[in-house]
Amino acid sequence: MPQIKHLGLLFSSANYSHHHPLLRSKSFTSSFPFLPYLRKPSFITEFPLLPTLSCYSKKPRNSNSLRSFHRKKSVLRDTRGKRDKISDKGGSLAMEETTGRANNAGGSIDFNRKRAEGRDGSDGSKKNLQLKVRKLNPVNTISYVQILGTGMDTQDTSPSVLLFFDKQRFIFNAGEGLQRFCTEHKIKLSKIDHIFLSRVCSETAGGLPGLLLTLAGIGDGVSVNVWGPSDLKYLVDAMKSFIPNAAMVYTRSFGPMQDVNGTGISMSRKFDGPFVLIDDEVVKISAIVLRPGHSEVNEPEMGLDETKPANLSVIYICELPEIKGKFDPQKAASLGLRPGPKYRELQLGNPVKSDCENIMVHPSDVLGPSVPGPILLLIDCPTPLHLKQLLSVQSLIPYYADTAGNVQEGSKTVHCVIHLSPASVTNTSEYQLWMSKFGAAQHIMAGHQMKNVEVPILKAGARIGARLNYLCPHFFPAPGFWSLQHLTCLSSGLKASNNDLMPGIGETVSAQNLLKFHFRPYANLGLDTSSIPNQTSRSVIIDELLSEIPEIADASLELNQLWSGNIETNGEKTDMQTNQVMTEEPWLPDSALPNCLEDVTRDDMEIVFLGTGSSQPSKYRNVSSIFINLFSKGSLLLDCGEGTLGQLKRRFGVEGADEAVGSLRCIWISHIHADHHTGLARILALRSSLLKGVPHEPLIVVGPRQLKRYLDAYQRLEDLDMQFLDCRHTTETSLETFDSSDDDAKFQKAKNGNTIRQEERVDSNLFARGSRMQSYWKRPGSPTENAAALPILKSLKKVLMEAGLETLISFPVVHCPQAYGVVLKASNRINRVGKTIPGWKIVYSGDTRPCPELVKASCGATVLIHEATFEDSLMDEAIAKNHSTTKEAVEVGDSSGVYRVILTHFSQRYPKIPVFDETHMNNTCIAFDLMSVNLADLPLLPRVLPYLKLMFKDEMIVDESEDVDLVTAAL
């Protein structure tokens, strides 16, 4: 009997069981005596801001006086019990009235204290969700298998496969981008009961957290089975800190299990297969596990670690029940049966008693010959080492035809074989010889194939990207895919292999996006290409744009002229001081140009926005990720939402993205919400693979403490090759403490409490040690943690120096427990004449309400990248969810003396462009996916905003048809 381990694990909430008093610090309360007068219990809290940070008053602003930061009291709408359809994290949120306003000369601002402390309960209470029980109908059902082309154009993840029945859905593999793909192509996810993984790794399961978060927002929650080889509990454990209670996942493992101590998989037991996973009226699904064989080459890098779950792969066998023969009513009548319910029972395969005679009538008495049910095989053979076992699997013998292609007696006819194996495996003669054993079966080659690289899977995003590239190619460069000529050369060998396959192999086609193979009705058995999207060229997209907005041609010409003259785009130095365009900006005289832009070159630094949306990926915007390109000095990632790797490949090309990942120096994560980090494992796993056998250091990941639990659990599945550093060890005060320790003896003295810690001298602010806003699982700064962090901090300091960076400093912000922003400061440089040029400074807010720590950190920044989730009229929602409005983000930049502000992290209610008022955005621009801002182009950045508004002039409102309640779009 196959051993199936039913773990029945629940994903836990992102809420935390620890509860500390808010703002207990006496020094803090004495500094702000109004705090005791706040009402309790309090949903909305206000905190004092620096006097320079202002809010928007409805009264005219006097530029000669200190900006007022008072806002009229706002009352939140009572939406308790109603689901917020455009929640930035999903789930429901009960809103209450704000607290009374405290009078304070310095000004104040509202925020959701419970959410910032992790006590808002936005996940909803735990539910005793049961597995769905659906009434199945095996008769006259509709059934097909369909290729969901995730990763086909970028090769960053495994394509998914949908097995469709009219009452059930089965998904095979859930790589990154699956929910975004389904949203765009209107693939219904509401009836998914089972998800099968052909391997337990980031390539096949990277989209699982996002998919479950989306499904959790449907109705009262979702319960789903996840199947895969080895013990899936490590994958479940890896996601416990950010999946809400509304999602219940039953993990069902088969094959070899990890040892009790979790060190590896025990290979002692034989692989007795196949394992029968599902066997009901509509389908029987079985699994055969493949493990890698031993390499004949002795070098370690040529083999695979058999003890890692990610190195096990699966063959899935899906068998539909036989199709009963045609019912013969004349035979039924001759046996004494009257028309009625007994006819249906016989058609269902059940015997009945004759109405007129004392006999039992069996289905074979009244039905014609049955037709064997269609059979589908999904093959994932990822390496030549797995191929060795595939060729020797005895469990597949009943599915083979004879040498002439005929089905042997007692054998089963395979109708369709979907190959998820890569071309490096499928092109081998051994693999093709094995394929020929299935006779006339239809073969669909769904592994990464070069012919699909330049065919965008996310057409909506590609369409906007082409339009933006036409408008301003400097900020919106063309996608980095290979040229068609280069592509043809690379794929010529593959095309030849498909056209000249070994004799005896059935019909073979390359998978295309949304390609179908029908099983039922039986009359439609075979391929169906009707759903494959039509290809649209860039020229057609631009012609449509010019037809819709004729004046966009002049706008593009005007923008291109801004880069003419003294601004060169070939990598040479840019003389900003003599740039005549800048004198046309009335708000920015020449003297205001930051010194850091003097003699700047185009290979100094570039900011690439890989994701600019919030909550969930949408048709037009991916979730948060920012790539800091330092060119020859490496690169950094600020946040790493799902699909980050795919976006890198869209921007830099398949080869270029690999180079970008290999050159990463550090990844910094702002907080634990899934839209900011679920692409991390895929990036780390790819980097580990790319640098295998090459001397290198583990990549440093800086993030909130909860993230370490996720990464530690994931490392049991596959190698991530990283070192983790808690964000709080990179705050300014912590870094000062470590820097003041000149040697280990001084550090030992400090950690024993004999040296005053820097944090103890700054406990009079909102994020003081021991305050609720700090919200650590443990008391911060334990000696053991400090000792463990010291060597990683030294490594980080070395990495930053090699990258030309002076500092990376994290600072706490107001959003959820352990939420941070970050400051990147470049080192000073010497120009051609020996003059010292100060380094640039980038500040990234993460998710936050405006707060004093952010204003302080942003002081004098070259670029402030600030979240602007909501438009100005949605202040209540911004407060409830601890996000910022557009005006608030701009005001933070104004109050801090920031040179340029770039807004990002827009609510998905704004499908293409957010609602904003450009009259107060003189130094500001809106970010789009794949937008690339070179340091040399910063002076021109605000000039683009009016042209963007022109391009989207008819779309500056909420698009209710696409606004999503992304859950509805996924349905």
Side-chain angles (χ1 to χ4, degrees), residues 14 24 67 137 171 454 508 585 660 663 673 734 820 825 845 868:
R24 284 185 174 176
R67 295 179 180 177
N137 179 21
I171 288 284
E454 203 160 316
T508 301
E585 297 184 0
S663 69
H673 285 160
S734 294
Y820 292 89
K825 177 71 167 61
S845 70

Side-chain angles (χ1 to χ4, degrees), residues 410-444:
S411 296
K412 303 178 180 180
T413 302
V414 176
H415 294 77
C416 181
V417 183
I418 297 178
H419 301 267
L420 301 175
S421 312
S424 60
V425 174
T426 59
N427 285 347
T428 63
S429 59
E430 294 88 352
Y431 194 92
Q432 293 187 13
L433 179 61
W434 175 80
M435 289 172 59
S436 67
K437 294 183 179 182
F438 294 101
Q442 173 70 63
H443 294 272
I444 301 176

Side-chain angles (χ1 to χ4, degrees), residues 22-30 763-764 768-769 771:
L22 173 67
L23 308 176
R24 284 185 174 176
S25 172
K26 294 182 179 179
S27 57
F28 183 86
T29 54
S30 62
D763 61 356
S764 61
R769 179 186 180 187
S771 73

Side-chain angles (χ1 to χ4, degrees), residues 483-493 495:
S483 67
L484 283 173
Q485 181 179 1
H486 186 194
L487 186 64
T488 301
C489 295
L490 288 173
S491 59
S492 59
K495 291 178 180 179

Side-chain angles (χ1 to χ4, degrees), residues 30 38 48 60 65 147 304 307 331 384 392 514 533 565 587 600 715 803 927:
S30 62
L38 295 178
S65 62
I147 304 295
L304 293 175
T307 66
K331 287 185 178 181
S392 61
L514 301 183
W587 61 85
V600 67
Q715 286 200 105

Side-chain angles (χ1 to χ4, degrees), residues 789-811:
L790 182 59
I792 305 178
L793 278 169
K794 290 182 177 180
S795 298
L796 177 62
K797 187 174 182 180
K798 177 184 175 183
V799 164
L800 294 176
M801 182 177 65
E802 293 173 350
L805 299 177
E806 182 179 295
T807 55
L808 181 154
I809 299 176
S810 304
F811 56 90

